Amino acid sequence: MAKITVRNLTKRYGSATALNNVSLEIESGEFLVLLGPSGCGKTTLLRCLAGLETPDEGEIIIGDHVVFSSKNNTMVPPGKRNLGMVFQSYALWPHMSVRDNVKFGLDVLKTPKGVADERLDQVLDDVGLAHLDGRYPSELSGGQQQRVALARLLATQPPVFLMDEPLSNLDARLRMDMRVELKRFQSDTGATTVYVTHDQTEAMTMSTRVVVMKDGEIQQISPPDQLYRQPENTFVADFIGMPRINLVELDTVDGRGTCFSNGDIQIETGWAPGVQKVIIGARPEDITLSADLNTPGEDYQISAVLPNGPETIIQLMRGQTVMIVRVGHDTEFATNQTVKLSFKRQSLNIYDAQTGVLVTPPDIEVAKAG
Amino acid sequence: MSDISVPAHGLRSRLHRSATDPVNILMLLLLAVLAYLVLWPFIQLTIETLTWSQGDRRLSRDAVPGEFTWFHWLQATTGPLSTKVLYGPLINTMITGIVSTILALLAGGVLAWCVVRSDMPGKRWLQPILTLPYILPSFAIALAWETVFRSPKVGGQPGLFEALLGTAPPEWLSYGAVPISITLAIHYFPFAYLLVAGALATIDSQMEEGALISGAGRLMILRRITFPVVAPAFAAAFILTFGKTIGQFALPFLLGAPTQYHTVATMVYANLALGLDSMAFVLAIVLIAMSLVAIWFSNRFVGKKSRRFETISGKGFRSRTIALGAWRWPVFTAVALFSFTVGILPLILLGVQSVMLIDGFYGLENLTSHFWFGTSNPEIAFGEPGVLHNDIILGATWNTLKLAFISAVIASVVGLVIAYISVRRADNPLARALDQISFIPFLFPTIAFGAMYLTLFAEPVGPIPALYGTFTLLVLISVVSRLPYSVKTGVTAVTQIGKELEEAAELAGAGWGMRFRRIIMPLASSGVLSGMMVSFVGVMRELSLIILLITPSTRVLMTVGFGYAEEGLSQLSNALVLIVAVLTIIGELILMWIGKGKMARLRDKQS
Ligand SMILES: Nc1ncnc2c1ncn2[C@@H]1O[C@H](COP(=O)(O)OP(=O)(O)O)[C@@H](O)[C@H]1O
Ligand SMILES: [Mg+2]
C-alpha cells in the first residue's frame, strides 16, 4: 500500500541535533518499531514523518509522493500525507463525545452522512466502544481512551499508521491485551505502521523489524530475533535483553589471536577476530553452569541466587569479573557454592573494544555471501 | 461483660481523643469565628433592611424604631425614587459590567494567545507590563482618564485633550458609561488575561495536531478544537471578571458621579453619605444578589460542562508555540504599544499632572514641586501641604503599611491552618464547611462587604466591643476578605506536603502543634510567603472594601487619595496614587523575586 523512504534526515533544535542523518526504508505493510532510550529522537522522527516537524535536511517519500525534500523545498502539510497518528497523550478532544472524536476525520473528508455513520458504527464496534459512544473522554478509563484514539486512527482507513508510545499510559496488564489488539488491527488493515516505544518487550513482540536509535542516530535495523541474537554494537547489545547481556573486555594472550583474558578469566574464541582488545557479549542463557567440578571450564563462585518465577538469575564472580546467568527455576545452586562455568561458543558475540562494533566470524561471512 | 466493655471503652476513648485533638478544637473555634465574621454580618445586614431605624422617622411617620417593616424594600423597588436609586443604577451596573467584561476578555484573550501560544518576541518584558493595570489601584486609571478627558462643562480645569486640541471632548467621552466601561476593562483585562493564559497553557497542542493530520485547516481547527476547549475557561473568566467589576466603587464614582451617572456600588456610597443607611443596605444586598446569580449561572452552565471537558493529561503532553512568521514583529509592536498605553502611560500622565501648579494648564512655567515637597500655602489647594510634608499623609502611609502587613500575615497563617484542616480532614463535614465558609467573602462585592461590617460592629455585642472607627475593624475585614485567596494558596501548599512527612514526625512523638510549626510551616513557607505578598499588595491598594469604615484616625493612603480626588485636588490625589503605585510595584517585584528564588531552589533540588 505505502512504502516509506527516509533519506539523510537531519533535524536540529537550535544547536542540539535531534536527528542526525537518518536513512530508513519501510516496506509496505510492515510493522516497524522505533526503539531507544528517552530523548534519542524517536518522537522527532515520527513527527517528521507526520509533517508536524519540518526537518532541516533530507527527504521523505510516502507511497509515490515526495512529502518532504530540503533540496526541492517540498513540504506537504500533515493533512495531505494520508496518514493517521496515535499520540502518547492520546490528545482526545475533551469537548467532543467519543463518537464525535472518531467522526472528525470523516467530517474533514466530507464523507456522506450515511457512509460515515456506517463506518463509525463499524469502527466503534471493532474497538469495543459501541456502547460508550455518547461519553466524553474524561468519563472514560485510560484503556477506553486509548481505544478512542485507536478508533480515530482507524476511521479514515489511512494506509500509514504512526503511533507514539500508545500504550505507555496503561497499566501492565492492559498493555498486554492492547498489544494483541493493536497487532490484530494492523494486520487486518495491512497499513504500514511506524510505532515508537522505549519498551523492548513491546518492540520485540509486535514488530516485523526494529530500529534501535541513540542520540539521534540509527544503531541497528533488524528483525527482533536477529536484534537479540546478533546486536551489531555494544550499545544495542547492552540495551536489548533483561537481565542484561554480560559484556567483558578482554586482551589477546597468544600469538594466534584466538585466546583472550583479563587476568580473571580466559576465553578461547576458536577463530581470530583480528583485533588486540575485544569485548565479548554473552547472553545470560548462553552460559552453562555445572556443579560437577570435573566438567571443563573455569571455577566461579556464586554470589547471589535470585529466583524469578519460571527462571532463576544467578550472579557469579571470578576475581573481579562478574557474570549473570539465567537457569531454570528448579535449580539447586546455592550462594557461595563454587561451580564450573562454560560459554556456548557459537552464541558468543565478539566486539572490537575500540569501536564497539560486532566482529563476525569468517564462516558467517561466507554463509552471508553464499 | 468484658465483650461489651471493650468497645464501650474504645468509643469513650475515641470521643475523648477527638475532643482533645487540637485540630478539632481549632476547627470548631475557626468555624465559630468565621460564622460570626462572614455569615452573621450578612444576616445582620438583611435584618437592618427589614427594621425601622431611628433615622427613618425623618422618612415616614409610621416608623417605630426596632420594629419589622418592608418599608425600605418597598421604597427601593416601587417608591417614587426607585428608578433613580435602584433600577437606573442596576441597568448602569449591568451595562458597564458586561461591556467592560467583554472588552477585558477580548483583550485578555488575544494577549494570552500571543503570549502563551505564539512565538511573539519580547514576552518576558511584556508580561509584567501587561499585568500592571491590575496591580495599580483601580482608580489610578480613572484619574489618568480624567487628566486627559476632563471637561470644564462639568467643573474644574480642562484636561489634556482640550489643552492639545483646543476643543472640549464630548461629555460621553469624559463621564458616564463609556469611560467607566473602558477604564474598568483596562483595570481588569490582566485578570482575564491570567485566567485565559492559565487555560491555554494546559492545552495539549497535540489536540490541534491530531486535527491537522486529519486534514483540517487552521480555521477549522481554531473553530472546532481550540475555541471549544478554552470556552469553559472563557465563560468562567467572564463571570469572575463581571463579579469584580460590579463591586468596583471608586472608579465609577470618579467618572460617573459628576454627571449623576450611578452604579449600584456608587449608590451604596451615596446613600450612606446622605445618612440613608437602610437604603444603602438594600442596595448592598442587591449587589450581593447580582454576584450570587452570576456565580450560580457559572456553576449551572459552565461548571458541569467544564468538568466534563477537563483535559486529560498523561505522559507525552506537548505545548508548542505557533510560528507567526511575517507577523511576528507587527504583533509584537501592537502588543507593546497596547501595554505601554494601558500600563505605563497612565502613570506618566499622573506624574506629569502632579507637578502642574495650575491644573490643566500645560507649560514649563507652570511646573511646580509644590504638591510633592511644598509646605502649606493658603493660595494653593486650600492650603494643603505637598504629600511628602503632609502629616495626614505620613500617618496614612504608616497606617497603610501597618494594615497591609498585619492583615497579610494573619490572613496567610489562618489561611494555612484552614487549608491544613480542609485537606487533612477532607472526610469531616465540618472541615468542608470551614473551607466553604472561608470562600464566601469572595462572593461579596467589596463595597457590600464593607457595608455589612458597618452594621456588625456598630455596638458592643456580649464580650465584643464596638469596633466602628477602630483600626482593628479594618484588619478584621481585610483579613476575612483575603481568606478565599490565602486558603487557596494554603491548600496548594499543603496538598504538596505528603502525609507521610507528618506521620514520620508523629511516630517520633511530635504533637500537632510541633508538627505544624516544624514540618508544615517550613515546607509551605515559600508558597505561603508569596501568598502573603499578594495579600500585602492587595490590601494596600484596596479602597472599595474599607471606604465605608474609615474614620480620620484610621485613614490609609487610598482613602486620602480618594478624598482629594473627590474634592477636586487632582494633583495631590495623583501624587498619592503614584505613591501607592510605587509601593505596590515594589511589592510585586519582591514577589517576582521570591518566585524566582523558589524556582532556583527547585532546580537545585532536581539536579
Ligand atoms: N520542540 C523541541 N525543542 C527543543 N528540543 C526538542 C524539542 N523536541 C524534542 N527536542 C529534543 O530532541 C531530542 C529528541 O527528542 P524526542 O524525539 O522527543 O525523544 P524521544 O521521543 O526518543 O524520547 C531530545 O533531546 C529533546 O530534548
Ligand atoms: Mg517520545
Side-chain angles (χ1 to χ4, degrees), chain A residues 43 47 52-53 78-79 83 85 87-89 91-96 104 107-108 136-139 145 168-169, chain B residues 204 206-207 209-216 220 224-225 228-229 307-312 314-316 318 320:
Chain A
T43 299
R47 290 170 61 84
L52 297 171
E53 302 282 348
L83 39 79
M85 181 159 172
F87 294 91
Q88 188 177 7
S89 64
L92 301 181
W93 299 305
H95 58 295
M96 297 185 195
F104 187 86
D107 285 354
V108 174
Y136 284 83
S138 60
E139 299 165 340
Q145 291 174 4
S168 64
N169 278 328
Chain B
D204 184 349
Q206 294 177 121
M207 286 197 299
E209 291 171 352
L212 198 62
I213 287 180
S214 304
M220 182 171 184
R224 298 253 328 240
I225 312 285
V229 169
R307 230 166 292 135
R308 177 176 257 193
F309 286 7
E310 248 165 49
T311 38
I312 22 183
K315 284 187 220 161
R318 249 168 205 266
R320 287 181 97 222

Side-chain angles (χ1 to χ4, degrees), chain A residues 42-43 88 164-165 196, chain B residues 318:
Chain A
K42 309 177 294 286
T43 299
Q88 188 177 7
D164 189 358
E165 311 210 19
V196 165
Chain B
R318 249 168 205 266

Side-chain angles (χ1 to χ4, degrees), chain B residues 100 103-104 130 133-134 141 145 181-190 338 341-343 346:
Chain B
S100 62
L103 291 177
L130 280 176
Y134 189 54
I141 294 151
W145 187 278
S181 301
I182 294 177
T183 49
L184 275 176
I186 293 178
H187 181 57
Y188 284 113
F189 88 83
F338 180 79
T341 313
V342 300

